[in-house]
Amino acid sequence: MKPPILVVDDQSDARQMVRMVMEIERYPVIEAGNGERALALAHEHKPACLIMDLRMPGIVDGFALCQAIKGDPDLCRTPIIILSAFFQKDEKTLGFQFGADAFFEKPFNFYQLIDEVDRVISRRAQLPVEMNHG
């Protein structure tokens, strides 16, 4: 069994689509409908990767979630892949500045997403523990 993936999106159909794709590739999926729940689940499950939307309701939107994950010593090595329906150049730039590892526009290519998940998880496994702190 592969390591778990945390999928974060306020739209359940979007989460379900990503879940289906990841489970075909034998990744167990944990779902959160908002950033607050995602942060709690990330601490609880230590996922191998986050796949998340940027625009979510609540105090912790996608940018704040990126910042919280990358700023946490226990989670900072967790790769973050952003899936956004509202693709704007400044959002993509901000996403990377807040710690995203990859950015996909919705609708996305399933095969490219799978390849990217495999790549960021593999790359994470090769990094020394000291990397990504801060």
Side-chain angles (χ1 to χ4, degrees):
M1 182 72 87
K2 292 182 178 182
I5 304 291
L6 176 56
V7 177
V8 188
D9 198 308
D10 59 314
Q11 301 206 351
S12 61
D13 58 337
R15 290 193 314 268
Q16 187 66 18
M17 187 181 344
V18 175
R19 171 187 281 279
M20 186 176 59
V21 171
M22 290 297 109
E23 287 181 344
I24 288 170
E25 293 299 312
R26 303 201 189 286
Y27 282 107
V29 175
I30 305 157
E31 293 183 35
N34 61 56
E36 292 89 351
R37 181 76 178 132
L39 198 51
L41 288 171
H43 279 285
E44 181 181 343
H45 295 281
K46 306 288 191 278
C49 179
L50 261 77
I51 300 173
M52 55 175 270
D53 192 9
L54 282 177
R55 295 187 183 194
M56 294 181 284
I59 298 169
V60 182
D61 67 1
F63 296 112
L65 182 57
C66 278
Q67 195 170 28
I69 295 290
K70 294 301 183 169
D72 186 312
D74 291 332
L75 300 173
C76 64
R77 291 170 44 94
T78 307
I80 297 173
I81 298 173
I82 294 174
L83 298 178
S84 181
F86 302 100
F87 179 75
Q88 296 175 357
K89 186 178 179 183
D90 59 330
E91 282 191 337
K92 184 175 182 178
T93 301
L94 276 174
F96 285 126
Q97 287 174 353
F98 281 103
D101 295 275
F103 199 106
F104 285 85
E105 182 179 359
K106 293 178 186 175
F108 57 92
N109 179 297
F110 297 125
Y111 298 110
Q112 288 176 344
L113 179 62
I114 292 164
D115 287 347
E116 189 64 25
V117 167
D118 290 341
R119 186 187 72 76
V120 297
I121 290 174
S122 174
R123 188 179 71 183
R124 171 189 170 189
Q126 296 170 3
L127 290 176
V129 174
E130 304 83 40
M131 294 295 293
N132 279 340
H133 283 282

mmCIF file with all atom_site columns, all heavy atoms in Angstrom, residues 17-43:
data_model
loop_
_atom_site.group_PDB
_atom_site.id
_atom_site.type_symbol
_atom_site.label_atom_id
_atom_site.label_alt_id
_atom_site.label_comp_id
_atom_site.label_asym_id
_atom_site.label_entity_id
_atom_site.label_seq_id
_atom_site.pdbx_PDB_ins_code
_atom_site.Cartn_x
_atom_site.Cartn_y
_atom_site.Cartn_z
_atom_site.occupancy
_atom_site.B_iso_or_equiv
_atom_site.pdbx_formal_charge
_atom_site.auth_seq_id
_atom_site.auth_comp_id
_atom_site.auth_asym_id
_atom_site.auth_atom_id
_atom_site.pdbx_PDB_model_num
ATOM 1   N N   . MET A 1 17 ? -13.412 13.144 -7.387  1.00 0.00 ? 17 MET A N   1
ATOM 2   C CA  . MET A 1 17 ? -12.703 12.889 -8.642  1.00 0.00 ? 17 MET A CA  1
ATOM 3   C C   . MET A 1 17 ? -11.227 12.583 -8.366  1.00 0.00 ? 17 MET A C   1
ATOM 4   O O   . MET A 1 17 ? -10.662 11.636 -8.911  1.00 0.00 ? 17 MET A O   1
ATOM 5   C CB  . MET A 1 17 ? -12.824 14.092 -9.580  1.00 0.00 ? 17 MET A CB  1
ATOM 6   C CG  . MET A 1 17 ? -12.267 13.827 -10.950 1.00 0.00 ? 17 MET A CG  1
ATOM 7   S SD  . MET A 1 17 ? -12.355 15.210 -12.120 1.00 0.00 ? 17 MET A SD  1
ATOM 8   C CE  . MET A 1 17 ? -13.499 16.344 -11.421 1.00 0.00 ? 17 MET A CE  1
ATOM 9   N N   . VAL A 1 18 ? -10.599 13.391 -7.517  1.00 0.00 ? 18 VAL A N   1
ATOM 10  C CA  . VAL A 1 18 ? -9.186  13.161 -7.190  1.00 0.00 ? 18 VAL A CA  1
ATOM 11  C C   . VAL A 1 18 ? -9.039  11.841 -6.437  1.00 0.00 ? 18 VAL A C   1
ATOM 12  O O   . VAL A 1 18 ? -8.111  11.070 -6.688  1.00 0.00 ? 18 VAL A O   1
ATOM 13  C CB  . VAL A 1 18 ? -8.598  14.346 -6.387  1.00 0.00 ? 18 VAL A CB  1
ATOM 14  C CG1 . VAL A 1 18 ? -7.174  14.039 -5.948  1.00 0.00 ? 18 VAL A CG1 1
ATOM 15  C CG2 . VAL A 1 18 ? -8.640  15.619 -7.213  1.00 0.00 ? 18 VAL A CG2 1
ATOM 16  N N   . ARG A 1 19 ? -9.969  11.568 -5.508  1.00 0.00 ? 19 ARG A N   1
ATOM 17  C CA  . ARG A 1 19 ? -9.937  10.300 -4.762  1.00 0.00 ? 19 ARG A CA  1
ATOM 18  C C   . ARG A 1 19 ? -9.946  9.114  -5.726  1.00 0.00 ? 19 ARG A C   1
ATOM 19  O O   . ARG A 1 19 ? -9.149  8.186  -5.591  1.00 0.00 ? 19 ARG A O   1
ATOM 20  C CB  . ARG A 1 19 ? -11.128 10.194 -3.819  1.00 0.00 ? 19 ARG A CB  1
ATOM 21  C CG  . ARG A 1 19 ? -11.263 8.802  -3.176  1.00 0.00 ? 19 ARG A CG  1
ATOM 22  C CD  . ARG A 1 19 ? -12.531 8.639  -2.365  1.00 0.00 ? 19 ARG A CD  1
ATOM 23  N NE  . ARG A 1 19 ? -12.425 9.260  -1.072  1.00 0.00 ? 19 ARG A NE  1
ATOM 24  C CZ  . ARG A 1 19 ? -11.820 8.701  -0.028  1.00 0.00 ? 19 ARG A CZ  1
ATOM 25  N NH1 . ARG A 1 19 ? -11.239 7.530  -0.149  1.00 0.00 ? 19 ARG A NH1 1
ATOM 26  N NH2 . ARG A 1 19 ? -11.781 9.321  1.121   1.00 0.00 ? 19 ARG A NH2 1
ATOM 27  N N   . MET A 1 20 ? -10.839 9.153  -6.691  1.00 0.00 ? 20 MET A N   1
ATOM 28  C CA  . MET A 1 20 ? -10.967 8.060  -7.649  1.00 0.00 ? 20 MET A CA  1
ATOM 29  C C   . MET A 1 20 ? -9.648  7.834  -8.398  1.00 0.00 ? 20 MET A C   1
ATOM 30  O O   . MET A 1 20 ? -9.182  6.706  -8.523  1.00 0.00 ? 20 MET A O   1
ATOM 31  C CB  . MET A 1 20 ? -12.097 8.369  -8.631  1.00 0.00 ? 20 MET A CB  1
ATOM 32  C CG  . MET A 1 20 ? -12.425 7.249  -9.572  1.00 0.00 ? 20 MET A CG  1
ATOM 33  S SD  . MET A 1 20 ? -13.847 7.646  -10.626 1.00 0.00 ? 20 MET A SD  1
ATOM 34  C CE  . MET A 1 20 ? -13.286 9.113  -11.470 1.00 0.00 ? 20 MET A CE  1
ATOM 35  N N   . VAL A 1 21 ? -9.049  8.900  -8.859  1.00 0.00 ? 21 VAL A N   1
ATOM 36  C CA  . VAL A 1 21 ? -7.789  8.800  -9.607  1.00 0.00 ? 21 VAL A CA  1
ATOM 37  C C   . VAL A 1 21 ? -6.676  8.247  -8.705  1.00 0.00 ? 21 VAL A C   1
ATOM 38  O O   . VAL A 1 21 ? -5.926  7.353  -9.109  1.00 0.00 ? 21 VAL A O   1
ATOM 39  C CB  . VAL A 1 21 ? -7.386  10.183 -10.173 1.00 0.00 ? 21 VAL A CB  1
ATOM 40  C CG1 . VAL A 1 21 ? -5.988  10.151 -10.749 1.00 0.00 ? 21 VAL A CG1 1
ATOM 41  C CG2 . VAL A 1 21 ? -8.388  10.631 -11.216 1.00 0.00 ? 21 VAL A CG2 1
ATOM 42  N N   . MET A 1 22 ? -6.570  8.760  -7.504  1.00 0.00 ? 22 MET A N   1
ATOM 43  C CA  . MET A 1 22 ? -5.492  8.332  -6.602  1.00 0.00 ? 22 MET A CA  1
ATOM 44  C C   . MET A 1 22 ? -5.686  6.891  -6.146  1.00 0.00 ? 22 MET A C   1
ATOM 45  O O   . MET A 1 22 ? -4.721  6.139  -6.022  1.00 0.00 ? 22 MET A O   1
ATOM 46  C CB  . MET A 1 22 ? -5.406  9.263  -5.390  1.00 0.00 ? 22 MET A CB  1
ATOM 47  C CG  . MET A 1 22 ? -4.902  10.660 -5.711  1.00 0.00 ? 22 MET A CG  1
ATOM 48  S SD  . MET A 1 22 ? -3.207  10.674 -6.337  1.00 0.00 ? 22 MET A SD  1
ATOM 49  C CE  . MET A 1 22 ? -3.476  11.089 -8.046  1.00 0.00 ? 22 MET A CE  1
ATOM 50  N N   . GLU A 1 23 ? -6.924  6.481  -5.901  1.00 0.00 ? 23 GLU A N   1
ATOM 51  C CA  . GLU A 1 23 ? -7.166  5.111  -5.454  1.00 0.00 ? 23 GLU A CA  1
ATOM 52  C C   . GLU A 1 23 ? -6.904  4.100  -6.557  1.00 0.00 ? 23 GLU A C   1
ATOM 53  O O   . GLU A 1 23 ? -6.493  2.978  -6.280  1.00 0.00 ? 23 GLU A O   1
ATOM 54  C CB  . GLU A 1 23 ? -8.574  4.976  -4.884  1.00 0.00 ? 23 GLU A CB  1
ATOM 55  C CG  . GLU A 1 23 ? -8.674  5.645  -3.515  1.00 0.00 ? 23 GLU A CG  1
ATOM 56  C CD  . GLU A 1 23 ? -10.036 5.529  -2.867  1.00 0.00 ? 23 GLU A CD  1
ATOM 57  O OE1 . GLU A 1 23 ? -11.029 5.198  -3.573  1.00 0.00 ? 23 GLU A OE1 1
ATOM 58  O OE2 . GLU A 1 23 ? -10.110 5.786  -1.646  1.00 0.00 ? 23 GLU A OE2 1
ATOM 59  N N   . ILE A 1 24 ? -7.108  4.491  -7.818  1.00 0.00 ? 24 ILE A N   1
ATOM 60  C CA  . ILE A 1 24 ? -6.744  3.610  -8.934  1.00 0.00 ? 24 ILE A CA  1
ATOM 61  C C   . ILE A 1 24 ? -5.251  3.327  -8.884  1.00 0.00 ? 24 ILE A C   1
ATOM 62  O O   . ILE A 1 24 ? -4.799  2.219  -9.180  1.00 0.00 ? 24 ILE A O   1
ATOM 63  C CB  . ILE A 1 24 ? -7.157  4.233  -10.284 1.00 0.00 ? 24 ILE A CB  1
ATOM 64  C CG1 . ILE A 1 24 ? -8.673  4.182  -10.437 1.00 0.00 ? 24 ILE A CG1 1
ATOM 65  C CG2 . ILE A 1 24 ? -6.459  3.533  -11.456 1.00 0.00 ? 24 ILE A CG2 1
ATOM 66  C CD1 . ILE A 1 24 ? -9.210  4.978  -11.607 1.00 0.00 ? 24 ILE A CD1 1
ATOM 67  N N   . GLU A 1 25 ? -4.485  4.326  -8.460  1.00 0.00 ? 25 GLU A N   1
ATOM 68  C CA  . GLU A 1 25 ? -3.031  4.180  -8.338  1.00 0.00 ? 25 GLU A CA  1
ATOM 69  C C   . GLU A 1 25 ? -2.612  3.632  -6.976  1.00 0.00 ? 25 GLU A C   1
ATOM 70  O O   . GLU A 1 25 ? -1.436  3.659  -6.616  1.00 0.00 ? 25 GLU A O   1
ATOM 71  C CB  . GLU A 1 25 ? -2.357  5.531  -8.587  1.00 0.00 ? 25 GLU A CB  1
ATOM 72  C CG  . GLU A 1 25 ? -2.497  6.015  -10.004 1.00 0.00 ? 25 GLU A CG  1
ATOM 73  C CD  . GLU A 1 25 ? -1.855  5.075  -11.015 1.00 0.00 ? 25 GLU A CD  1
ATOM 74  O OE1 . GLU A 1 25 ? -0.689  4.660  -10.811 1.00 0.00 ? 25 GLU A OE1 1
ATOM 75  O OE2 . GLU A 1 25 ? -2.528  4.744  -12.013 1.00 0.00 ? 25 GLU A OE2 1
ATOM 76  N N   . ARG A 1 26 ? -3.586  3.186  -6.188  1.00 0.00 ? 26 ARG A N   1
ATOM 77  C CA  . ARG A 1 26 ? -3.375  2.558  -4.884  1.00 0.00 ? 26 ARG A CA  1
ATOM 78  C C   . ARG A 1 26 ? -2.882  3.504  -3.781  1.00 0.00 ? 26 ARG A C   1
ATOM 79  O O   . ARG A 1 26 ? -2.216  3.088  -2.842  1.00 0.00 ? 26 ARG A O   1
ATOM 80  C CB  . ARG A 1 26 ? -2.452  1.350  -5.001  1.00 0.00 ? 26 ARG A CB  1
ATOM 81  C CG  . ARG A 1 26 ? -2.947  0.304  -5.970  1.00 0.00 ? 26 ARG A CG  1
ATOM 82  C CD  . ARG A 1 26 ? -2.326  -1.038 -5.685  1.00 0.00 ? 26 ARG A CD  1
ATOM 83  N NE  . ARG A 1 26 ? -2.589  -2.021 -6.698  1.00 0.00 ? 26 ARG A NE  1
ATOM 84  C CZ  . ARG A 1 26 ? -3.752  -2.645 -6.894  1.00 0.00 ? 26 ARG A CZ  1
ATOM 85  N NH1 . ARG A 1 26 ? -4.772  -2.337 -6.169  1.00 0.00 ? 26 ARG A NH1 1
ATOM 86  N NH2 . ARG A 1 26 ? -3.882  -3.554 -7.835  1.00 0.00 ? 26 ARG A NH2 1
ATOM 87  N N   . TYR A 1 27 ? -3.193  4.774  -3.930  1.00 0.00 ? 27 TYR A N   1
ATOM 88  C CA  . TYR A 1 27 ? -2.923  5.724  -2.855  1.00 0.00 ? 27 TYR A CA  1
ATOM 89  C C   . TYR A 1 27 ? -4.167  5.816  -1.979  1.00 0.00 ? 27 TYR A C   1
ATOM 90  O O   . TYR A 1 27 ? -5.244  6.143  -2.486  1.00 0.00 ? 27 TYR A O   1
ATOM 91  C CB  . TYR A 1 27 ? -2.621  7.126  -3.402  1.00 0.00 ? 27 TYR A CB  1
ATOM 92  C CG  . TYR A 1 27 ? -1.225  7.303  -3.943  1.00 0.00 ? 27 TYR A CG  1
ATOM 93  C CD1 . TYR A 1 27 ? -1.003  7.387  -5.312  1.00 0.00 ? 27 TYR A CD1 1
ATOM 94  C CD2 . TYR A 1 27 ? -0.135  7.424  -3.077  1.00 0.00 ? 27 TYR A CD2 1
ATOM 95  C CE1 . TYR A 1 27 ? 0.279   7.573  -5.812  1.00 0.00 ? 27 TYR A CE1 1
ATOM 96  C CE2 . TYR A 1 27 ? 1.147   7.605  -3.582  1.00 0.00 ? 27 TYR A CE2 1
ATOM 97  C CZ  . TYR A 1 27 ? 1.347   7.674  -4.950  1.00 0.00 ? 27 TYR A CZ  1
ATOM 98  O OH  . TYR A 1 27 ? 2.608   7.861  -5.447  1.00 0.00 ? 27 TYR A OH  1
ATOM 99  N N   . PRO A 1 28 ? -4.054  5.555  -0.682  1.00 0.00 ? 28 PRO A N   1
ATOM 100 C CA  . PRO A 1 28 ? -5.203  5.816  0.189   1.00 0.00 ? 28 PRO A CA  1
ATOM 101 C C   . PRO A 1 28 ? -5.425  7.321  0.277   1.00 0.00 ? 28 PRO A C   1
ATOM 102 O O   . PRO A 1 28 ? -4.466  8.097  0.248   1.00 0.00 ? 28 PRO A O   1
ATOM 103 C CB  . PRO A 1 28 ? -4.777  5.237  1.543   1.00 0.00 ? 28 PRO A CB  1
ATOM 104 C CG  . PRO A 1 28 ? -3.335  4.946  1.456   1.00 0.00 ? 28 PRO A CG  1
ATOM 105 C CD  . PRO A 1 28 ? -2.920  5.000  0.013   1.00 0.00 ? 28 PRO A CD  1
ATOM 106 N N   . VAL A 1 29 ? -6.674  7.733  0.360   1.00 0.00 ? 29 VAL A N   1
ATOM 107 C CA  . VAL A 1 29 ? -7.009  9.151  0.332   1.00 0.00 ? 29 VAL A CA  1
ATOM 108 C C   . VAL A 1 29 ? -7.747  9.550  1.604   1.00 0.00 ? 29 VAL A C   1
ATOM 109 O O   . VAL A 1 29 ? -8.673  8.873  2.049   1.00 0.00 ? 29 VAL A O   1
ATOM 110 C CB  . VAL A 1 29 ? -7.874  9.485  -0.903  1.00 0.00 ? 29 VAL A CB  1
ATOM 111 C CG1 . VAL A 1 29 ? -8.342  10.932 -0.874  1.00 0.00 ? 29 VAL A CG1 1
ATOM 112 C CG2 . VAL A 1 29 ? -7.081  9.209  -2.179  1.00 0.00 ? 29 VAL A CG2 1
ATOM 113 N N   . ILE A 1 30 ? -7.315  10.667 2.159   1.00 0.00 ? 30 ILE A N   1
ATOM 114 C CA  . ILE A 1 30 ? -7.980  11.314 3.281   1.00 0.00 ? 30 ILE A CA  1
ATOM 115 C C   . ILE A 1 30 ? -8.551  12.609 2.712   1.00 0.00 ? 30 ILE A C   1
ATOM 116 O O   . ILE A 1 30 ? -7.875  13.299 1.947   1.00 0.00 ? 30 ILE A O   1
ATOM 117 C CB  . ILE A 1 30 ? -6.981  11.626 4.413   1.00 0.00 ? 30 ILE A CB  1
ATOM 118 C CG1 . ILE A 1 30 ? -6.247  10.351 4.836   1.00 0.00 ? 30 ILE A CG1 1
ATOM 119 C CG2 . ILE A 1 30 ? -7.671  12.295 5.590   1.00 0.00 ? 30 ILE A CG2 1
ATOM 120 C CD1 . ILE A 1 30 ? -4.918  10.623 5.498   1.00 0.00 ? 30 ILE A CD1 1
ATOM 121 N N   . GLU A 1 31 ? -9.785  12.960 3.080   1.00 0.00 ? 31 GLU A N   1
ATOM 122 C CA  . GLU A 1 31 ? -10.419 14.153 2.514   1.00 0.00 ? 31 GLU A CA  1
ATOM 123 C C   . GLU A 1 31 ? -10.729 15.194 3.575   1.00 0.00 ? 31 GLU A C   1
ATOM 124 O O   . GLU A 1 31 ? -11.082 14.855 4.701   1.00 0.00 ? 31 GLU A O   1
ATOM 125 C CB  . GLU A 1 31 ? -11.741 13.776 1.833   1.00 0.00 ? 31 GLU A CB  1
ATOM 126 C CG  . GLU A 1 31 ? -11.598 12.930 0.608   1.00 0.00 ? 31 GLU A CG  1
ATOM 127 C CD  . GLU A 1 31 ? -12.934 12.665 -0.052  1.00 0.00 ? 31 GLU A CD  1
ATOM 128 O OE1 . GLU A 1 31 ? -13.816 13.550 -0.033  1.00 0.00 ? 31 GLU A OE1 1
ATOM 129 O OE2 . GLU A 1 31 ? -13.102 11.555 -0.591  1.00 0.00 ? 31 GLU A OE2 1
ATOM 130 N N   . ALA A 1 32 ? -10.606 16.458 3.178   1.00 0.00 ? 32 ALA A N   1
ATOM 131 C CA  . ALA A 1 32 ? -11.020 17.579 4.016   1.00 0.00 ? 32 ALA A CA  1
ATOM 132 C C   . ALA A 1 32 ? -11.734 18.593 3.141   1.00 0.00 ? 32 ALA A C   1
ATOM 133 O O   . ALA A 1 32 ? -11.316 18.851 2.011   1.00 0.00 ? 32 ALA A O   1
ATOM 134 C CB  . ALA A 1 32 ? -9.812  18.216 4.697   1.00 0.00 ? 32 ALA A CB  1
ATOM 135 N N   . GLY A 1 33 ? -12.793 19.195 3.676   1.00 0.00 ? 33 GLY A N   1
ATOM 136 C CA  . GLY A 1 33 ? -13.574 20.173 2.937   1.00 0.00 ? 33 GLY A CA  1
ATOM 137 C C   . GLY A 1 33 ? -13.175 21.603 3.206   1.00 0.00 ? 33 GLY A C   1
ATOM 138 O O   . GLY A 1 33 ? -13.704 22.520 2.599   1.00 0.00 ? 33 GLY A O   1
ATOM 139 N N   . ASN A 1 34 ? -12.210 21.796 4.119   1.00 0.00 ? 34 ASN A N   1
ATOM 140 C CA  . ASN A 1 34 ? -11.734 23.155 4.401   1.00 0.00 ? 34 ASN A CA  1
ATOM 141 C C   . ASN A 1 34 ? -10.325 23.098 4.976   1.00 0.00 ? 34 ASN A C   1
ATOM 142 O O   . ASN A 1 34 ? -9.835  22.023 5.359   1.00 0.00 ? 34 ASN A O   1
ATOM 143 C CB  . ASN A 1 34 ? -12.695 23.893 5.346   1.00 0.00 ? 34 ASN A CB  1
ATOM 144 C CG  . ASN A 1 34 ? -12.833 23.208 6.686   1.00 0.00 ? 34 ASN A CG  1
ATOM 145 O OD1 . ASN A 1 34 ? -11.860 22.963 7.392   1.00 0.00 ? 34 ASN A OD1 1
ATOM 146 N ND2 . ASN A 1 34 ? -14.065 22.895 7.063   1.00 0.00 ? 34 ASN A ND2 1
ATOM 147 N N   . GLY A 1 35 ? -9.687  24.249 5.039   1.00 0.00 ? 35 GLY A N   1
ATOM 148 C CA  . GLY A 1 35 ? -8.300  24.317 5.488   1.00 0.00 ? 35 GLY A CA  1
ATOM 149 C C   . GLY A 1 35 ? -8.108  23.965 6.949   1.00 0.00 ? 35 GLY A C   1
ATOM 150 O O   . GLY A 1 35 ? -7.105  23.345 7.315   1.00 0.00 ? 35 GLY A O   1
ATOM 151 N N   . GLU A 1 36 ? -9.055  24.348 7.796   1.00 0.00 ? 36 GLU A N   1
ATOM 152 C CA  . GLU A 1 36 ? -8.944  24.044 9.223   1.00 0.00 ? 36 GLU A CA  1
ATOM 153 C C   . GLU A 1 36 ? -8.918  22.536 9.450   1.00 0.00 ? 36 GLU A C   1
ATOM 154 O O   . GLU A 1 36 ? -8.076  22.014 10.183  1.00 0.00 ? 36 GLU A O   1
ATOM 155 C CB  . GLU A 1 36 ? -10.108 24.676 10.013  1.00 0.00 ? 36 GLU A CB  1
ATOM 156 C CG  . GLU A 1 36 ? -10.080 26.185 10.054  1.00 0.00 ? 36 GLU A CG  1
ATOM 157 C CD  . GLU A 1 36 ? -10.810 26.850 8.879   1.00 0.00 ? 36 GLU A CD  1
ATOM 158 O OE1 . GLU A 1 36 ? -11.218 26.154 7.913   1.00 0.00 ? 36 GLU A OE1 1
ATOM 159 O OE2 . GLU A 1 36 ? -10.949 28.079 8.913   1.00 0.00 ? 36 GLU A OE2 1
ATOM 160 N N   . ARG A 1 37 ? -9.845  21.834 8.824   1.00 0.00 ? 37 ARG A N   1
ATOM 161 C CA  . ARG A 1 37 ? -9.907  20.367 8.953   1.00 0.00 ? 37 ARG A CA  1
ATOM 162 C C   . ARG A 1 37 ? -8.665  19.727 8.327   1.00 0.00 ? 37 ARG A C   1
ATOM 163 O O   . ARG A 1 37 ? -8.124  18.766 8.875   1.00 0.00 ? 37 ARG A O   1
ATOM 164 C CB  . ARG A 1 37 ? -11.185 19.850 8.283   1.00 0.00 ? 37 ARG A CB  1
ATOM 165 C CG  . ARG A 1 37 ? -11.351 18.368 8.369   1.00 0.00 ? 37 ARG A CG  1
ATOM 166 C CD  . ARG A 1 37 ? -11.785 17.927 9.753   1.00 0.00 ? 37 ARG A CD  1
ATOM 167 N NE  . ARG A 1 37 ? -11.981 16.484 9.767   1.00 0.00 ? 37 ARG A NE  1
ATOM 168 C CZ  . ARG A 1 37 ? -11.484 15.688 10.702  1.00 0.00 ? 37 ARG A CZ  1
ATOM 169 N NH1 . ARG A 1 37 ? -10.840 16.183 11.732  1.00 0.00 ? 37 ARG A NH1 1
ATOM 170 N NH2 . ARG A 1 37 ? -11.672 14.391 10.622  1.00 0.00 ? 37 ARG A NH2 1
ATOM 171 N N   . ALA A 1 38 ? -8.223  20.265 7.219   1.00 0.00 ? 38 ALA A N   1
ATOM 172 C CA  . ALA A 1 38 ? -7.035  19.726 6.550   1.00 0.00 ? 38 ALA A CA  1
ATOM 173 C C   . ALA A 1 38 ? -5.811  19.806 7.447   1.00 0.00 ? 38 ALA A C   1
ATOM 174 O O   . ALA A 1 38 ? -5.019  18.859 7.523   1.00 0.00 ? 38 ALA A O   1
ATOM 175 C CB  . ALA A 1 38 ? -6.776  20.474 5.245   1.00 0.00 ? 38 ALA A CB  1
ATOM 176 N N   . LEU A 1 39 ? -5.645  20.910 8.133   1.00 0.00 ? 39 LEU A N   1
ATOM 177 C CA  . LEU A 1 39 ? -4.492  21.076 9.019   1.00 0.00 ? 39 LEU A CA  1
ATOM 178 C C   . LEU A 1 39 ? -4.535  20.049 10.148  1.00 0.00 ? 39 LEU A C   1
ATOM 179 O O   . LEU A 1 39 ? -3.523  19.426 10.476  1.00 0.00 ? 39 LEU A O   1
ATOM 180 C CB  . LEU A 1 39 ? -4.454  22.503 9.561   1.00 0.00 ? 39 LEU A CB  1
ATOM 181 C CG  . LEU A 1 39 ? -3.147  22.990 10.140  1.00 0.00 ? 39 LEU A CG  1
ATOM 182 C CD1 . LEU A 1 39 ? -1.961  22.757 9.220   1.00 0.00 ? 39 LEU A CD1 1
ATOM 183 C CD2 . LEU A 1 39 ? -3.258  24.468 10.490  1.00 0.00 ? 39 LEU A CD2 1
ATOM 184 N N   . ALA A 1 40 ? -5.710  19.847 10.719  1.00 0.00 ? 40 ALA A N   1
ATOM 185 C CA  . ALA A 1 40 ? -5.859  18.841 11.779  1.00 0.00 ? 40 ALA A CA  1
ATOM 186 C C   . ALA A 1 40 ? -5.553  17.442 11.249  1.00 0.00 ? 40 ALA A C   1
ATOM 187 O O   . ALA A 1 40 ? -4.839  16.659 11.894  1.00 0.00 ? 40 ALA A O   1
ATOM 188 C CB  . ALA A 1 40 ? -7.270  18.898 12.362  1.00 0.00 ? 40 ALA A CB  1
ATOM 189 N N   . LEU A 1 41 ? -6.073  17.110 10.066  1.00 0.00 ? 41 LEU A N   1
ATOM 190 C CA  . LEU A 1 41 ? -5.823  15.792 9.479   1.00 0.00 ? 41 LEU A CA  1
ATOM 191 C C   . LEU A 1 41 ? -4.360  15.608 9.092   1.00 0.00 ? 41 LEU A C   1
ATOM 192 O O   . LEU A 1 41 ? -3.818  14.506 9.204   1.00 0.00 ? 41 LEU A O   1
ATOM 193 C CB  . LEU A 1 41 ? -6.725  15.575 8.262   1.00 0.00 ? 41 LEU A CB  1
ATOM 194 C CG  . LEU A 1 41 ? -8.203  15.359 8.567   1.00 0.00 ? 41 LEU A CG  1
ATOM 195 C CD1 . LEU A 1 41 ? -9.024  15.384 7.278   1.00 0.00 ? 41 LEU A CD1 1
ATOM 196 C CD2 . LEU A 1 41 ? -8.413  14.048 9.318   1.00 0.00 ? 41 LEU A CD2 1
ATOM 197 N N   . ALA A 1 42 ? -3.717  16.668 8.637   1.00 0.00 ? 42 ALA A N   1
ATOM 198 C CA  . ALA A 1 42 ? -2.299  16.586 8.287   1.00 0.00 ? 42 ALA A CA  1
ATOM 199 C C   . ALA A 1 42 ? -1.474  16.243 9.522   1.00 0.00 ? 42 ALA A C   1
ATOM 200 O O   . ALA A 1 42 ? -0.561  15.407 9.459   1.00 0.00 ? 42 ALA A O   1
ATOM 201 C CB  . ALA A 1 42 ? -1.821  17.900 7.670   1.00 0.00 ? 42 ALA A CB  1
ATOM 202 N N   . HIS A 1 43 ? -1.792  16.854 10.647  1.00 0.00 ? 43 HIS A N   1
ATOM 203 C CA  . HIS A 1 43 ? -1.073  16.538 11.889  1.00 0.00 ? 43 HIS A CA  1
ATOM 204 C C   . HIS A 1 43 ? -1.354  15.105 12.336  1.00 0.00 ? 43 HIS A C   1
ATOM 205 O O   . HIS A 1 43 ? -0.454  14.419 12.812  1.00 0.00 ? 43 HIS A O   1
ATOM 206 C CB  . HIS A 1 43 ? -1.467  17.521 12.996  1.00 0.00 ? 43 HIS A CB  1
ATOM 207 C CG  . HIS A 1 43 ? -0.745  18.819 12.909  1.00 0.00 ? 43 HIS A CG  1
ATOM 208 N ND1 . HIS A 1 43 ? 0.568   18.970 13.271  1.00 0.00 ? 43 HIS A ND1 1
ATOM 209 C CD2 . HIS A 1 43 ? -1.161  20.031 12.461  1.00 0.00 ? 43 HIS A CD2 1
ATOM 210 C CE1 . HIS A 1 43 ? 0.935   20.219 13.082  1.00 0.00 ? 43 HIS A CE1 1
ATOM 211 N NE2 . HIS A 1 43 ? -0.086  20.883 12.572  1.00 0.00 ? 43 HIS A NE2 1
#
